Amino acid sequence: MRRFLVAGNWKMNTNRASGQELAAALAVDSPAAEDGVEVLVCPPYPYLTTISDKVAGSGVQVGAQDVYFEASGAFTGEVAVDMLRDVGCDYVIIGHSERRHVMGETDETINRKVKAAIAGGLKVILCVGELLSDREGGHTESVLDAQMTGGLADISEQDGKDLVIAYEPVWAIGTGVTASPEQAESAHEHLRNWIANRYNSTFSDNVRILYGGSVKPDNAETLMGQTNVDGALVGGASLKPDLFVPIIDAARKLATA
Ligand code: PGA
């Protein structure tokens, strides 16, 4: 049985005070690690230390929204894997659609980041997802395949033991338009089959595939209730405890069903 992962991607939101308040509320809701559901928050870089301190000892884990692939040196503005470990991160999101489409990250860059993160002991959430034009043109699966092939180049089964995939259709991110449960399940099933073909079925059975894109309390249970959906990567609704906690609760309900 795959354990649900509900992850909040705060993006470039919050400040020191509001982030601490949010983290404190989540730590109260998740006082200890749970069997069925993992809870994760991914604040902006400057607040990672303070948020890690805030959730220390609770069931809430901390991740970063990106990382650089070099270990150290003259890379102005970048942040290394060891630095993230040093400030309490367990996870890192790599290849988010905003990194791909706003910052111009390629699959090659994303792959270098995935390799560096895994080598340095961070758990990777690799994001993939098609544009609306890809979907309308009938190219969803080929786009996902290319992102998986590129992002996971040279990653062995052993490397990928903590790998998480997030399927985030770009047209559903921050738009209020959610993929239907059928659209999500179909993409997730495709991704799981891709993993089974590239690796093997034991590995693909264990990899968690999160859905992301306008997840809200009222659609979370149906989306995460799909066979191949193992949690959610939540943007907007992760910024308010009264929206994020019901999404975690939906996963708790499914985990004990
Ligand atoms: P959203 O963002 O929930 O605001 O659509 C999801 C994401 O980009 O991870």
Side-chain angles (χ1 to χ4, degrees):
M1 174 91 181
R2 294 182 294 268
R3 196 166 166 224
F4 283 98
L5 173 59
V6 179
N9 173 10
W10 295 3
K11 308 194 179 183
M12 202 171 71
N13 295 299
T14 68
N15 57 30
R16 187 198 291 262
S18 68
Q20 283 187 337
E21 205 178 307
L22 177 51
L26 297 175
V28 167
D29 178 68
S30 300
E34 296 167 52
D35 289 343
V37 182
E38 254 183 278
V39 179
L40 174 70
V41 292
C42 301
Y45 286 143
Y47 306 129
L48 286 169
T49 304
T50 168
I51 300 300
S52 294
D53 291 346
K54 212 53 185 185
V55 301
S58 78
V60 181
Q61 298 177 86
V62 177
Q65 300 171 17
D66 187 29
V67 68
Y68 196 55
F69 47 76
E70 295 287 356
S72 65
F75 304 101
T76 303
E78 295 297 338
V79 172
V81 172
D82 283 354
M83 297 173 184
L84 296 180
R85 296 280 313 260
D86 204 16
V87 295
C89 288
D90 294 309
Y91 280 91
V92 62
I93 299 170
I94 297 180
H96 187 276
S97 78
E98 286 142 24
R99 303 289 327 163
R100 292 175 187 268
H101 300 294
V102 183
M103 315 302 168
E105 276 187 25
T106 62
D107 284 316
E108 194 194 341
T109 308
I110 289 164
N111 178 240
R112 294 182 76 175
K113 292 182 173 188
V114 170
K115 285 184 197 159
I118 290 173
L122 283 174
K123 297 175 184 173
V124 169
I125 302 177
L126 173 65
C127 299
V128 296
E130 81 286 0
L131 297 165
L132 184 58
S133 54
D134 299 325
R135 179 163 281 271
E136 288 176 346
H139 306 307
T140 298
E141 294 185 350
S142 59
V143 167
L144 296 180
D145 291 352
Q147 292 174 343
M148 292 290 281
T149 305
L152 295 178
D154 307 320
I155 300 296
S156 69
E157 181 180 356
Q158 177 57 25
D159 293 335
K161 64 180 179 356
D162 292 320
L163 179 71
V164 176
I165 303 294
Y167 170 62
E168 299 205 308
V170 181
W171 46 272
I173 296 179
T175 57
V177 179
T178 314
S180 69
E182 295 75 23
Q183 285 172 323
E185 174 58 17
S186 153
H188 283 232
E189 187 182 23
H190 178 80
L191 289 166
R192 202 174 301 285
N193 288 336
W194 185 95
I195 297 165
N197 287 333
R198 160 76 196 276
Y199 297 95
N200 57 64
S201 59
T202 313
F203 184 55
S204 71
D205 283 347
N206 288 326
V207 171
R208 291 176 295 179
I209 308 177
L210 314 184
Y211 170 80
S214 299
V215 175
K216 304 279 181 265
D218 64 358
N219 58 28
E221 190 178 336
T222 322
L223 285 161
M224 291 191 287
Q226 303 301 306
T227 311
N228 285 293
V229 180
D230 309 307
L233 182 53
V234 186
S238 73
L239 296 169
K240 294 200 171 93
D242 59 346
L243 296 178
F244 195 50
V245 171
I247 296 172
I248 302 168
D249 283 340
R252 287 180 175 130
K253 187 173 161 196
L254 290 162
T256 51

